Amino acid sequence: MKHITLRSGILFSLLVLGACQSQKPAADTTISTGVNNDWSINPSNAYSLYPNRVVQGEFEAKAISPTELTSNYKSPANLTMTPTVVFKFAINGRDNEMAPGTDHIFNCIPSDGKCVTPVITFGKQVKADADVPKDVYLTPNTKMTVRLDMRPVLEAFKKQGAYTSPTGDKIYKEDFKGVFIAGGTDPLSWDFDNLGSRKELQLQDPDGDGIYEITLLMNENREEKMTAQQWKMTRDASAFPQYQSEYMIADALHNLALEEMINAVEPDSTFRTGKEWAGVWTRDISYSIILSMAQVQPKVSMYSLMRKVKDGRIVQDTGTGGAYPISTDRVIWAVAAWEVYKATGDEKWLRDTYAIIKKSLQEDQKNAFNPETGMMRGESSFLDWREQTYPRWMQPADIYESENLGTNAAHYQANIVAAQMADILKDIQAAAEFRKSAESIKQGINKYLWVDKTVHYGQYLYGRNYKILSPRAEALGAALSVIYGVADADRSRQVVMNTPLTDFGITSIFPQIPGIPPYHNNAVWPFVQSYWALAAAKVGNEESLTASIAAIYRPAALFLTNKENFVATNGDYAGTQVNSSNMLWSLAGSLSLVYKVYFGMDLKADGIELKPFVPKAFAGNRKLTNYKYRNAILNFEMSGHGNQIKSITMDGKPMEKPFIPATLTGTHTIKIELANNEVVSEFGYLKVRYSPDMPKVKYVNGQLTWPAVEGAEEYHVYKNGKWVEQTKKTTYTVDTDNYGEYMVMAVDSDRSTSFGSEPVMVVPGKYKLVYEVEKAAPKSSQPYRDFSGTGFIEISKQKNKYVKLTITVPEDGVYAIDFRYANGNGPINTSNKAAIRTLNYNGRFAGTIVLPQRGDGEWSNWGFTNAVDVQLPKGSHTISLTFEPHNENMHGEVNQAMLDYMRVIKIR
């Protein structure tokens, strides 16, 4: 067996595990039916991939034929679950019992299948007396009864009419909807955004004594923790491309993906997102179409994309705080629409989708563009579960202000696509504008998100009036930056080489966030792995590509379905917060290995450029027949390995270049012989690792203080987005004479950094101006509480569409303007009723103010919008907040919020 030593990534400077591959013997000129099933590759030594099977410990999946697989995989989740249960309570489902990171800890050691907690007083932490031995696990189907003393809360309701929690939340008696339990052990969840709707996690007080109870079935043996033992193809897939190679496991997985693709087509000829996810979702369908659906299901792709259009623009259907423009990754739809055009050449489709894309991008330019960085604001693409990838302190308005790698890569490519469409349609001026926007975004990414010291792209800029860069690696964004050319050739190679793969694949982010259960955190998503494979193939990193292929084949084979995600630490699908079988973008990624990697199909407007890449570990003969391209049917035969073509013929005649013109008609056979060239490449395997927890910083009398963070060796202090101090202390003295926005990061022995703490603003009194908006517009009669001054105003599409305030600033400077507001039109994590307004100063455009949803019906839950920075000379100025046509949200009818006051703060 040939051993290949992998160099550790510069990014994390750790020693690397060895990985081994073997070179397969040279194959015959036809596909062999008697492959050497003893040949294997062992990515990171966590599992082994053979031509006809996958072996992971005691589990084995085997290809009986190209249309039949067996597997004995069983999720180990029930067998190894810790009895230590970490949880907390939540009035109305909100995280308001204790400070984030402060939880109850209870060891559930059952007697007669049951365990009972002591009576816990709301707001007072209870911890287990002792640690549980490592070989003791939570018995499956244990009934755990949790008892909670709510009498202090109820007494406050009775005496004061409201209760103020340790987190500062004020809950009024009439707003009390119940108390819920959250946690990290199944069936508990830390998903506070959805907790209030989960009645099965609501505690009850049937006898009215103030002691609430709930009994939970812990570590339940459930059907979704089991896999089928066999898959046998039952669907007729003969209308689609047929793949055959010397690797029966790969052939079977291609057929499995085809069958699940057929299963995903609904009666209305649109794609279903997954077995557990009904309907069409903008980002899911778009990423799936880009990977392979445009090639094999162009009509269904068209129908699905057009389902996500409303009022002539792309729909942002998921995201935080009422979605658009807190989330702006809808633009990936444009890239998918272009992929469909390249596959079909449909001119009507080109014209129709161009109009939609043009309108959407022009809206984004007004609502989400940051002229300071040249980038677009908005939530991480696909990583839209707040605490899974953002610090817990970040509110939806903060997420809108963040500038993320993956979302900006999508915006870059959407503008490039729009420019190419405009070229074809002779919209010359628009083409120039789109290219200008694309170049601005590209420059911004490479200036503000690139980390020279560790040669990788960071995750996003975040903060409030001043931003810092999260240095975490973000897999999808990094892959898109390579694939779409945001990174130049040198940086692309470095990104692929230095971003680590863990034992079972590339994690959505690296390192992981402590205290957050697997979903986006500590998880691998096969569709992201597929984009990573495309990136590795583009830069010629054979070892990374081989590892990616194996990481896609392993779970599909063992689970006998294309799952949505799985836990990074153990490769198991049952331990993530949400999962689905028959997942569209996962199966699309599996198919993309054949079309876009092995055969290297790069669709262009005028044809297909062939850039095949077969790693040496998968050397041999392969065929792809019945591939339908516009008015042609193509049959491919390919031999060898490498990423260079030795010879290529069509119908027996040499081709001048590896390019299939879009004008080709009829049936043709294309034979490719690869050069068996050696591809020198490196990358690093790492174990899943966590960063330190985030410091919890307080400010009192000129001092920042924070409790010591476990595992932290030092702390980095930032002022106004700049590093100012490296210290082992847990205090820092601030400058109280000038504006300062301070954040603190914890750093561990591996040099991993935590998220920055919630920004602490130190503002001299003369630099903070507050203007009550009810003095500028009619006061609302709504019975909401906790406002400042004498009241608040309502803004909507009918009321106060134009609000004007006159301010006086004491000196020249840059002032941050924001508003205290409420929006109870929906929860933080769903719906589409974020309010949007345009801020003007002295009649000139200043920026966009976003007023996200803060909780369904929670109109007394006040927070701050994003801030817009305005350069103002000393004296009086007019500030106006207006509703403009481009301020339409995705709902279209409800665009409403309550305004309490406006803040004007001099920040420099």
Side-chain angles (χ1 to χ4, degrees), residues 152-182:
V153 177
L154 301 175
E155 190 68 19
F157 285 161
K158 183 178 180 180
K159 290 183 177 179
Q160 291 92 37
Y163 170 76
T164 302
S165 77
T167 62
D169 278 26
K170 194 171 187 179
I171 301 107
Y172 289 95
K173 179 180 179 180
E174 60 268 30
D175 293 335
F176 178 65
K177 301 171 186 174
V179 61
F180 298 76
I181 184 170

Side-chain angles (χ1 to χ4, degrees), residues 29 74 127 177 184 242 270 272 291 421 460 487 594 617 702 711:
T29 56
K74 182 179 179 181
K127 285 188 173 184
K177 301 171 186 174
Q242 303 297 298
T270 62
R272 183 183 182 91
L291 283 168
M421 287 181 158
Y460 46 66
V594 173

Side-chain angles (χ1 to χ4, degrees), residues 315-523:
V315 172
Q316 180 74 46
D317 52 15
T318 60
T320 295
Y324 186 79
I326 297 95
S327 288
T328 62
D329 70 334
R330 63 175 181 157
V331 296
I332 198 65
W333 186 100
V335 187
W338 178 240
E339 195 75 9
V340 171
Y341 171 72
K342 290 188 294 183
T344 64
D346 189 319
E347 293 185 3
K348 184 179 184 302
W349 174 258
L350 178 71
R351 290 192 300 272
D352 292 348
T353 57
Y354 173 66
I356 295 164
I357 294 165
K358 183 177 181 179
K359 181 177 181 179
S360 302
L361 291 180
Q362 288 173 341
E363 286 180 346
D364 288 349
Q365 194 69 20
K366 294 175 180 176
N367 290 325
F369 179 63
N370 182 359
E372 284 192 31
T373 63
M375 292 191 292
M376 306 300 290
R377 299 180 176 94
E379 189 168 31
S380 301
S381 184
F382 118 85
L383 303 173
D384 63 341
W385 186 342
R386 269 194 315 160
E387 59 266 29
Q388 285 282 329
T389 43
Y390 285 96
R392 288 185 176 181
W393 58 262
M394 287 183 73
Q395 295 296 307
D398 300 316
I399 290 176
Y400 162 74
E401 271 292 316
S402 67
E403 297 171 56
N404 166 263
L405 175 64
T407 297
N408 270 281
H411 276 280
Y412 167 80
Q413 187 63 12
N415 277 278
I416 290 294
V417 160
Q420 291 173 315
M421 287 181 158
D423 287 340
I424 296 171
L425 297 172
K426 309 301 182 186
D427 192 352
I428 307 303
Q429 183 176 350
E433 288 298 317
F434 290 133
R435 286 193 170 88
K436 180 180 177 182
S437 295
E439 185 59 28
S440 170
I441 295 166
K442 180 178 181 178
Q443 289 182 10
I445 291 173
N446 284 299
K447 179 177 180 180
Y448 294 101
L449 301 184
W450 181 255
V451 186
D452 275 320
K453 185 176 181 181
T454 46
V455 288
H456 81 295
Y457 287 110
Q459 189 179 14
Y460 46 66
L461 298 179
Y462 69 114
R464 291 211 166 120
N465 291 320
Y466 290 92
K467 308 293 193 304
I468 63 174
L469 175 62
S470 169
R472 275 185 170 81
E474 191 244 295
L476 180 61
L480 297 181
S481 297
V482 171
I483 293 165
Y484 295 142
V486 172
D488 61 24
D490 185 51
R491 281 191 175 181
S492 292
R493 286 191 295 271
Q494 291 173 330
V495 166
V496 174
M497 182 172 66
N498 294 324
T499 304
L501 272 75
T502 64
D503 285 352
F504 294 102
I506 190 162
T507 54
S508 298
I509 58 173
F510 193 97
Q512 312 309 310
I513 307 169
I516 301 297
Y519 183 63
H520 292 140
N521 193 60
N522 186 22

